[in-house]
Amino acid sequence: MAGIIFERDERGTLVLDAMLPGSPAARAKALRTGDVLVDIDGMHVKCKPVAMIGPLMLGPTGSEVTLGFERTEPNGSIKVHSLLPRKRCSC
């Protein structure tokens, strides 16, 4: 996809665990490990099953997907959006 590796936490949310070096996500510099995925192209996905989330991230190579994340900061939570190009996954 965009070079993001997620981990599911104890609440069932997908947390950004890592970004592949050189991937669209890593180059965007907007995301951080620990960010919680909350929406894909405006559709709320927090705590949804992976079977529902996966297809929302897929699309033609070169098309774009907007991922929305929540990030915990010292002064509270903020929302971060990142528009990323879809790439062929060689995983």
Side-chain angles (χ1 to χ4, degrees), residues 16-34:
L16 194 153
D17 187 51
M19 291 173 278
L20 300 176
S23 68
R27 286 193 312 268
K29 301 189 187 293
L31 304 177
R32 298 184 195 160
T33 57

Side-chain angles (χ1 to χ4, degrees), residues 1-78:
M1 213 270 325
I4 300 173
I5 299 170
F6 291 100
E7 180 178 287
R8 192 170 288 280
D9 70 8
E10 66 281 350
R11 296 172 307 220
T13 57
L14 289 179
V15 179
L16 194 153
D17 187 51
M19 291 173 278
L20 300 176
S23 68
R27 286 193 312 268
K29 301 189 187 293
L31 304 177
R32 298 184 195 160
T33 57
D35 288 350
V36 175
L37 182 66
V38 293
D39 61 66
I40 300 171
D41 287 334
M43 177 180 257
H44 183 77
V45 297
K46 190 172 181 180
C47 298
K48 301 286 186 199
V50 172
M52 184 209 139
I53 295 170
L56 295 174
M57 290 191 182
L58 300 177
T61 299
S63 64
E64 295 179 325
V65 61
T66 301
L67 302 180
F69 292 86
E70 284 180 354
R71 177 180 301 153
T72 302
E73 295 282 342
N75 297 336
S77 292
I78 63 168

